[in-house]
Amino acid sequence: MTGAAAGKVLRDRNAGLYLTAVVVSGFGTSAMWLTGGIWVKSLTGSDSLAALAVFAMWLPVLTGPALGAVADRVPRKPLLIGANLAMAVLLTSLLAIDSAGRIWILFAVLVLYGVSGVLMDSAESALVAHTVDPRLLGDFNGLRMIANEGMKFLAPLTGAGLYARFGGGAVALLDAASFALAAGVYALLRVREPARPGRTDRRGELAAGIRQVWGSTVLRPLVLAGAVTMLCAGLNGAALYAVVDDGLGHSPTYTGVLYAVQGGGSIAVGLLAGPLLRRLPERVFTAAGIALFALAVGVRALPYDAVALVASAAIGAGLPCVLIAAMTAVQRETPDAVLGRTSATANSLMMVPNAVALALGAGLVAVLDIRVLLPLIGAAGLLTAVLLVTDRRGSLTGTPTGPRPSSTEA
């Protein structure tokens, strides 16, 4: 059944094109994500500025509701094509960087990179919900997770190799080419978009996504559980180097092994997500994934390689469950007129805690032993899972398979 559902998604022309675009642009993005920090470190010698390069790409997530409003007010297919082409052109400006004095160009491009990412994710999520069979949305989002994780295996190594041999400009050109190719893929989509509603007051537009999430007994608990889980994930990520060094006694390069195993777990759950969401109540599916993630984080405190590897695979399998379930519910439950804003708002609410926790975790690792910190993080995750399935304010019924609401209220 897993293969049959995935086959249906891949045989759908538009769904296949969406996934192709994710693979193509994701390859370039993953390469640039690593290279940005390396480039800054090489030119400035500053670890802080190198970390800031990654943060620059995260920063626009805070503006998710505003950028989502753009995706609700203009035709989404032309928006995807235009944003990809704009990024392809913008990335060529990085060829001008030849000294630390021009590193500001990289930071400016990385911020705009993050803006385009939030904007395109909102538009793509809305188009997918409009064109893919609602019964297959879970399968599609699972396959999208596989595409993203698969690129993380290959692209960083390619980006690092290109940088070492030819410099940052070569990676920028590779990323630019990936954006241009993704624009061509999006141009092949066959979609008939509904008419965009007329403009209302700006404040009301920005709040529409928040109202949609907070007012839904389906979306609110999933998104809140996702926010807490991603906070725990950020703390866990900040502690990873301490796990490798203090706990396992390996060099920092061993983190690459753990990340690879974690990616394998994410790929596995990507295949299973759709079928499981059709068989289990979505809160049960989500809570099970959070509980698996939490238990794995807790046992990571044990100083054994075998435990660390199994825990990494379990984290990779458990963590994506809440993200897949939440975004599938957003696509299924939200009227098209506010889907871009709602998708961007939900993404911001879940991703911002992760970025905050990465910074907070760096401080906690300095004052708390990982044998204390990791079990505490695991306990917080388990509590989140328990609260999610015991909250009586929302239904624990299975995922509906009917069409999404068609209201055009904005």
Side-chain angles (χ1 to χ4, degrees):
M1 185 62 184
T2 301
K8 286 182 180 179
V9 173
L10 295 174
R11 285 193 296 272
D12 182 280
R13 185 178 187 275
N14 284 331
L17 289 171
Y18 288 130
L19 291 171
T20 300
V22 168
V23 170
V24 170
S25 63
F27 186 88
T29 296
S30 294
M32 180 55 69
W33 185 279
L34 175 65
T35 301
I38 296 174
W39 203 344
V40 172
K41 171 68 175 177
S42 298
L43 290 178
T44 68
S46 171
D47 291 327
S48 298
L49 286 177
L52 192 60
V54 177
F55 181 73
M57 297 178 73
W58 272 95
L59 185 62
V61 173
L62 295 171
T63 64
L67 294 172
V70 176
D72 284 335
R73 292 302 172 189
V74 301
R76 289 156 181 160
K77 176 182 171 181
L79 175 61
L80 285 169
I81 296 171
N84 275 281
L85 290 177
M87 284 306 305
V89 173
L90 186 63
L91 280 162
T92 61
S93 68
L94 298 182
L95 297 175
I97 300 175
D98 56 6
S99 66
R102 291 187 173 182
I103 204 67
W104 65 268
I105 300 175
L106 177 58
F107 280 101
V109 169
L110 290 178
V111 170
L112 292 174
Y113 202 117
V115 169
S116 72
V118 175
L119 189 60
M120 288 191 285
D121 281 349
S122 301
E124 181 197 281
S125 180
L127 270 184
V128 165
H130 181 64
T131 57
V132 175
D133 186 339
R135 292 168 296 183
L136 296 176
L137 284 174
D139 299 278
F140 175 86
N141 288 321
L143 290 174
R144 194 181 192 282
M145 178 70 66
I146 291 174
N148 280 326
E149 292 300 321
M151 290 305 98
K152 291 177 184 177
F153 280 116
L154 302 175
L157 293 176
T158 302
L162 276 176
Y163 182 87
R165 180 67 178 86
F166 301 107
V171 183
L173 290 177
L174 170 68
D175 201 9
S178 75
F179 274 113
L181 186 55
V185 174
Y186 281 124
L188 298 175
L189 290 172
R190 295 174 183 170
V191 294
R192 181 175 297 173
E193 299 186 58
R196 302 267 74 82
R199 182 177 295 277
T200 59
D201 69 286
R202 185 167 297 177
R203 184 177 298 175
E205 286 186 6
L206 297 182
I210 297 174
R211 290 198 303 269
Q212 184 69 27
V213 171
W214 199 254
S216 170
T217 57
V218 175
L219 301 183
R220 184 175 65 249
L222 290 175
V223 171
L224 288 178
V228 176
T229 304
M230 294 308 295
L231 179 72
C232 293
L235 295 173
N236 170 65
L240 182 58
Y241 284 101
V243 169
V244 170
D245 184 10
D246 300 334
L248 302 176
H250 291 297
S251 70
T253 57
Y254 192 72
T255 57
V257 176
L258 297 183
Y259 272 128
V261 174
Q262 182 173 322
S266 296
I267 289 174
V269 83
L271 287 172
L272 296 171
L276 287 175
L277 278 170
R278 283 191 291 273
R279 288 169 170 78
L280 296 173
E282 58 194 1
R283 287 210 205 178
V284 173
F285 168 78
T286 304
I290 296 173
L292 178 61
F293 159 77
L295 289 171
V297 170
V299 301
R300 230 179 194 180
L302 298 174
Y304 305 110
D305 282 355
V307 172
L309 292 170
V310 172
S312 292
I315 289 170
L319 184 59
C321 292
V322 65
L323 302 178
I324 293 172
M327 295 314 295
T328 300
V330 166
Q331 292 169 328
R332 191 189 66 244
E333 297 288 329
T334 307
D336 181 81
V338 295
L339 184 48
R341 278 162 284 181
T342 304
S343 175
T345 298
N347 189 59
S348 293
L349 289 173
M350 291 189 291
M351 292 296 109
V352 168
N354 184 262
V356 172
L358 285 169
L360 177 62
L364 288 176
V365 168
V367 297
L368 273 181
D369 192 294
I370 57 170
R371 290 171 294 182
V372 175
L373 178 60
L374 291 175
L376 286 176
I377 296 170
L382 285 175
L383 179 60
T384 302
V386 170
L387 291 176
L388 183 60
V389 294
T390 57
D391 180 7
R392 299 299 180 186
R393 289 173 293 181
S395 170
L396 292 184
T397 56
T399 303
T401 56
R404 296 181 301 106
S406 58
S407 166
T408 58
E409 178 185 355

